[in-house]
Amino acid sequence: MHVLLTREGSLPDWRRRNLHASWRWCLLINVPIAIVAFIAGTILVTESKSGRGSSYDIPGAVLGTAGLVALVYGFTQAAKTGVGWLSVEVISYLVGAVILLVAFVLVELRSASPLLPMRVVLDRNRGGSYLSSLLVFAGLFAMFLFLSYYFQYNLGYSALKSGIAFLPFSVGVIVTSGLVSALLPRTGPKPLMLIGLAMGAIGLATFTFISDTSSWVTSVLPGELLMSAGLALVLVPLSSRALTGVNDDDAGVASAVLNSTHQIGGSLGTALLNTFYASAVASYILAHHLSPSAFNPPAAIHGYHVAFWIGVGLIAAAFVAVLVLVNAGKDDITTQPGVPAGA
């Protein structure tokens, strides 16, 4: 299955030897960025402290981290050949994840200085925003992950060309975000979020029509632009709702939870979608009596389509979460915690 996912085994010997001095080095880019951020933060960021006493919530941190690791690892293990969703190993990890996360919530409810105060997430609008953010980023990785596979392994793009093929998405988010910021005080968050989620789901669904003979301009670019505009319509109101109405002591936690939903959603989405992709590819190969030892373009395309549809389902679930939970109007919009609308 490793060959199906990475195709590294089919590379010439000279390219396999150079892999350790090529794309892997790009992972080091975070090091100088982190150093610059650390120095700038030390010099420029002033200290602020809560008026209340605080302490480290070690049990909460351990339980929350262990629960999420078990959940992601369980999803990932299900993709392995001969394991599957009903294996004892996968079920054990998933059950363990549930137990650990429930224990995390119980500890937070009883802790004097909780890592995640439940009042932050139990607010209807804020909780709905966090849930939709997690689902959106889980579904969004269907585009990034499987279009990357598609560009390089089906269309034969280089890594650089694949990156350039994603640029319209980034440009669309940046341009649309400026427009959304101007619209938000007039419309309120909910209409923009619902429209954006619908656009994102439709854009992701267009990728289910790609094939080995598809053109990037006609089959990929429209979906990228639709998703980029939709994501901007969602993210700007999400950021507003996540920080509106929190007290000064909870402002940092509220912002951190929003960022955490991005990271957790991406991790869970990658593990879950890759698992379903691998299962779909294996089923296709078995049904069509193909060789499992080499990259098979039709099987991969089938796997992409399955993953894209699951991503659409995740974004649709985010749409439902916003529709049911978010009820804030335009008068509830603030730019900073504790600052009334229009101040």
Side-chain angles (χ1 to χ4, degrees), residues 217-272:
V217 173
T218 59
S219 299
V220 177
L221 180 59
E224 283 190 9
L225 294 177
L226 196 58
M227 287 195 70
S228 66
L231 185 64
L233 285 167
V234 174
L235 289 185
V236 174
L238 269 180
S239 299
S240 172
R241 287 310 313 151
L243 298 177
T244 297
V246 295
N247 59 48
D248 293 339
D249 290 336
D250 292 336
V253 173
S255 179
V257 173
L258 179 63
N259 289 330
S260 297
T261 60
H262 299 174
Q263 303 302 321
I264 295 170
S267 299
L268 293 176
T270 300
L272 182 65

Side-chain angles (χ1 to χ4, degrees), residues 52-336:
R52 299 177 302 176
S54 61
S55 60
Y56 293 112
D57 181 13
I58 302 299
V62 171
L63 289 170
T65 301
L68 291 173
V69 169
L71 188 60
V72 172
Y73 193 72
F75 286 166
T76 304
Q77 289 297 100
K80 289 188 175 181
T81 303
V83 180
W85 288 102
L86 298 179
S87 68
V88 174
E89 179 183 5
V90 170
I91 292 175
S92 298
Y93 277 114
L94 297 182
V95 171
V98 172
I99 294 173
L100 289 167
L101 293 175
V102 169
F104 167 75
V105 172
L106 295 176
V107 167
E108 299 308 281
L109 289 172
R110 291 166 171 76
S111 175
S113 299
L115 179 68
L116 176 59
M118 289 295 110
R119 60 181 175 272
V120 173
V121 296
L122 291 180
D123 174 84
R124 175 173 178 166
N125 287 286
R126 197 176 303 116
S129 298
Y130 290 149
L131 177 59
S132 61
S133 175
L134 187 145
L135 292 168
V136 164
F137 275 85
L140 184 64
F141 270 73
M143 183 195 74
F144 288 123
L145 181 63
F146 298 103
L147 280 185
S148 296
Y149 289 166
Y150 174 68
F151 289 153
Q152 296 189 61
Y153 303 143
N154 292 86
L155 299 186
Y157 287 6
S158 65
L160 177 61
K161 189 174 180 180
S162 297
I164 294 173
F166 278 115
L167 281 180
F169 177 85
S170 300
V171 173
V173 171
I174 294 171
V175 172
T176 310
S177 293
L179 300 175
V180 175
S181 297
L183 286 174
L184 183 57
R186 301 178 183 180
T187 64
K190 188 169 184 175
L192 296 178
M193 292 169 70
L194 292 177
I195 293 172
L197 289 167
M199 291 174 63
I202 294 171
L204 189 55
T206 63
F207 298 142
T208 61
F209 296 100
I210 61 173
S211 68
D212 273 336
T213 59
S214 295
S215 164
W216 175 82
V217 173
T218 59
S219 299
V220 177
L221 180 59
E224 283 190 9
L225 294 177
L226 196 58
M227 287 195 70
S228 66
L231 185 64
L233 285 167
V234 174
L235 289 185
V236 174
L238 269 180
S239 299
S240 172
R241 287 310 313 151
L243 298 177
T244 297
V246 295
N247 59 48
D248 293 339
D249 290 336
D250 292 336
V253 173
S255 179
V257 173
L258 179 63
N259 289 330
S260 297
T261 60
H262 299 174
Q263 303 302 321
I264 295 170
S267 299
L268 293 176
T270 300
L272 182 65
L273 294 168
N274 228 342
T275 296
F276 279 108
Y277 164 77
S279 299
V281 169
S283 297
Y284 186 96
I285 288 175
L286 183 63
H288 292 80
H289 307 290
L290 302 173
S291 171
S293 61
F295 179 79
N296 188 277
I301 292 289
H302 173 70
Y304 305 154
H305 289 175
V306 170
F308 288 142
W309 278 122
I310 295 173
V312 170
L314 291 170
I315 296 177
F319 182 96
V320 174
V322 171
L323 184 65
V324 173
L325 296 175
V326 176
N327 61 2
K330 59 183 179 181
D331 294 335
D332 299 313
I333 298 300
T334 62
T335 55
Q336 295 178 358

Side-chain angles (χ1 to χ4, degrees), residues 9-19:
S10 63
L11 294 175
D13 290 340
W14 67 272
R15 287 194 65 186
R16 284 201 297 272
R17 287 195 300 270
N18 288 335
L19 279 175

Side-chain angles (χ1 to χ4, degrees), residues 13-28:
D13 290 340
W14 67 272
R15 287 194 65 186
R16 284 201 297 272
R17 287 195 300 270
N18 288 335
L19 279 175
H20 295 283
S22 55
W23 66 265
R24 286 176 172 83
W25 286 89
C26 74
L27 301 177
L28 296 175

